[in-house]
Amino acid sequence: MNEDKASAYGDERLPRYTSYPTAPHFSDAVTADVYARWLGELSPDLSASLYLHVPFCRQMCWYCGCNTTVMRSDAPISAYVAELCREIDTVAGCVPHPLTVGHVHFGGGTPTIVAPHEFLALMALLRRRFDLGPDAEVAVEIDPRRLERPMAQALGEGGVNRASLGVQSFDPVVQQAINRVQSYAVTAASVEMLHEAGITAVNFDLIYGLPHQTVQSCRETARQCLALRPARLSVFGYAHVPSFKPHQRLIDEAALPNGAERRRQAEAIAEVLCAGGYRRIGFDHYALPDDELSIAEREGRLHRNFQGYTSDACDVLVGFGASAIGRLPQGYVQNEPLPRRYSRLIGERGLATVKGYALTADDRLRADIIERLMCDLAVDVGAICARHGTDPAPLMNAPRLGDVVRDGLARIEGHVVRVPDEARFLVRTIAAAFDAYLGQGGRAHSRAV
């Protein structure tokens, strides 16, 4: 693969393809009434996952691209939790039967900003309103700087069995530049608290492409992570979009690495983690060989959703909270992103849906192709088209697919598209060849690398 071509493709701004179509294509045509109708149409044989969004932090990290607000006092957080409970009751009441739930994920913001007793009450409500099995995965995102022992104990008591810790970088220079000072000792202490609470499946999130970050500092961060032996790691490229996230203007753009350096940083982390015994999953996840994510990848049942790569094969994703996105067989729904407006809408009608997307037959076809390509680094376009009752020729003749094949990013064998291992970091580029909406939507995406 030509190095210049790889750098050019790596600088492209592309979706992460955690959904298809992606959120910029949602519209206000999908209302709360539409969402309620879709919920009422769900059949009892469908499996579901639940996502609960807590959009508050104690301090803003300047690199952050999440929907979150700095909140110093606890009263607004408690009020928000009450609205979450009301939304849960409303959604459960719209479904004609209790949904069978295999996964629950608390995201943010900082989900552990809620009080321990409030978290336990939320989990109790979920168990009353849904069929949450004893083997369900219950995961929570954690800021190690804010985790205290009572909350760790509440997580264990509430049934959490997987925790995702934000690490980003252990380099103190980088930490100062992104307003997130978090020592190795603080992270290690959080891991120990979680283990004491019975939560042994711990994930780490890392970021490359941050200001003042170097290949060497990326390697050193990865080595320090190995010492704590997380079950999984997610390694994301920093998306600098100050026009969309104004607090990112506090980051010195002159200190950001260029595209070629970002790629070297990503590969340096990959080398350390793979040498340390982790399997590379897709283009940005890593897991120990006995972790469920590795097993799913080996068995060809890996999936991709808004949390990235997952073994979750649910038919329905129900989102709760400000900005939360849900996915139903009929399409996508998204809540009001601003917490105050979200709370007002919940108070008025119990639902806060403000936009969404009704899937077409072509959307479902392309979504299946993109997911398999992102997960397996190969896709049998002919087989998927046969299942959907359509001709693969228009997809296989797409101009962008021809370009990436010519430039060595992909290979075609009949109707099978394969991504060579040396090009896996550009799999989003190949997936974009099947995106009918590429270049539409008006939102800046992250770099391909």
Side-chain angles (χ1 to χ4, degrees):
M1 180 172 51
N2 182 281
E3 188 69 26
D4 291 338
K5 288 287 186 181
S7 295
Y9 280 119
D11 282 336
E12 280 190 303
R13 298 277 182 170
L14 296 171
R16 296 188 64 82
Y17 293 116
T18 53
S19 71
Y20 181 85
T22 54
H25 304 291
F26 295 179
S27 79
D28 59 8
V30 177
T31 64
D33 289 340
V34 172
Y35 181 32
R37 174 165 55 82
W38 286 358
L39 288 168
E41 295 170 350
L42 295 178
S43 63
D45 60 332
L46 298 180
S47 61
S49 290
L50 310 179
Y51 174 80
L52 294 90
H53 190 75
V54 181
F56 303 113
C57 293
R58 294 300 187 195
Q59 175 185 327
M60 183 65 73
C61 302
W62 294 342
Y63 65 84
C64 184
C66 301
N67 178 55
T68 190
T69 301
V70 173
M71 187 61 65
R72 305 295 185 191
S73 59
D74 292 335
I77 299 170
S78 296
Y80 177 83
V81 171
E83 301 299 348
L84 265 182
C85 291
R86 180 167 181 176
E87 186 184 11
I88 291 167
D89 277 329
T90 303
V91 168
C94 290
V95 182
H97 46 79
L99 282 172
T100 300
V101 173
H103 288 74
V104 178
H105 190 99
F106 288 83
T110 306
T112 49
I113 201 172
V114 306
H117 72 275
E118 292 171 340
F119 177 80
L120 290 172
L122 269 175
M123 286 303 306
L125 177 61
L126 293 177
R127 289 193 166 91
R128 287 197 304 272
R129 300 298 297 187
F130 301 102
D131 182 9
L132 187 59
D135 296 328
E137 180 175 280
V138 181
V140 62
E141 298 172 10
I142 294 173
D143 180 347
R145 301 170 302 166
R146 312 297 175 190
L147 183 65
E148 297 180 348
R149 196 168 301 278
M151 188 64 202
Q153 293 170 343
L155 296 177
E157 183 181 342
V160 170
N161 46 31
R162 185 173 293 278
S164 181
L165 274 59
V167 172
Q168 323 319 345
S169 172
F170 283 126
D171 184 341
V173 175
V174 174
Q175 291 180 356
Q176 288 286 348
I178 61 175
N179 198 40
R180 186 188 177 99
V181 177
Q182 175 183 321
S183 68
Y184 175 88
V186 165
T187 305
S190 292
V191 172
E192 183 178 359
M193 281 190 282
L194 292 168
H195 285 174
E196 289 173 354
I199 305 168
T200 56
V202 176
N203 307 344
F204 285 178
D205 292 338
L206 302 182
I207 298 181
Y208 63 87
L210 292 169
H212 301 293
Q213 208 166 20
T214 65
V215 169
Q216 184 54 40
S217 73
C218 286
R219 285 199 183 99
E220 184 56 30
T221 290
R223 291 191 189 103
Q224 289 177 282
C225 289
L226 291 180
L228 296 173
R229 209 62 179 170
R232 304 175 187 172
L233 297 100
S234 302
V235 183
F236 304 120
Y238 168 56
H240 189 62
V241 285
S243 60
F244 184 57
K245 292 293 180 180
H247 55 262
Q248 292 186 350
R249 295 170 188 163
L250 297 169
I251 285 180
D252 179 9
E253 292 188 353
L256 293 173
N258 61 26
E261 178 68 6
R262 286 168 61 96
R263 178 184 168 190
R264 286 191 286 269
Q265 291 176 6
E267 288 303 312
I269 294 171
E271 289 170 7
V272 172
L273 296 181
C274 291
Y278 288 83
R279 288 176 57 89
R280 195 169 185 176
I281 310 295
F283 74 101
D284 61 2
H285 281 46
Y286 301 81
L288 291 173
D290 59 350
D291 183 83
E292 174 60 22
L293 198 66
S294 284
I295 296 171
E297 190 264 349
R298 287 197 298 270
E299 296 179 352
R301 51 182 181 84
L302 194 65
H303 292 278
R304 190 162 172 82
N305 63 19
F306 295 106
Q307 280 72 59
Y309 289 106
T310 178
S311 59
D312 181 7
C314 71
D315 305 296
V316 177
L317 171 64
V318 182
F320 299 103
S323 80
I325 298 176
R327 189 198 73 235
L328 287 77
Q330 304 93 326
Y332 294 100
V333 292
Q334 184 169 17
N335 280 345
E336 164 61 46
L338 296 178
R340 286 185 181 179
R341 293 181 185 173
Y342 161 82
S343 295
R344 187 186 74 243
L345 291 174
I346 294 297
E348 291 172 355
R349 59 193 185 190
L351 294 174
T353 312
V354 292
K355 58 183 176 179
Y357 187 94
L359 290 166
T360 68
D362 186 66
D363 293 330
R364 300 176 202 279
L365 167 67
R366 291 172 183 270
D368 284 353
I369 291 171
I370 288 173
E371 182 177 44
R372 296 292 15 113
L373 186 60
M374 294 290 293
C375 291
D376 304 333
L377 302 179
V379 59
D380 189 335
V381 177
I384 292 178
C385 285
R387 290 201 298 271
H388 286 260
T390 191
D391 181 6
L395 293 167
M396 297 302 297
N397 293 327
R400 185 181 176 93
L401 182 59
D403 291 342
V404 297
V405 169
R406 184 186 64 248
D407 293 333
L409 277 65
R411 300 174 187 141
I412 293 179
E413 303 164 6
H415 288 133
V416 176
V417 179
R418 297 189 186 279
V419 181
D421 191 62
E422 63 269 21
R424 74 159 63 216
F425 65 97
L426 289 170
V427 65
R428 290 161 61 195
T429 301
I430 297 92
F434 299 99
D435 186 346
Y437 305 103
L438 189 65
Q440 304 174 25
R443 180 183 293 184
H445 296 288
S446 62
R447 285 179 174 177
V449 180

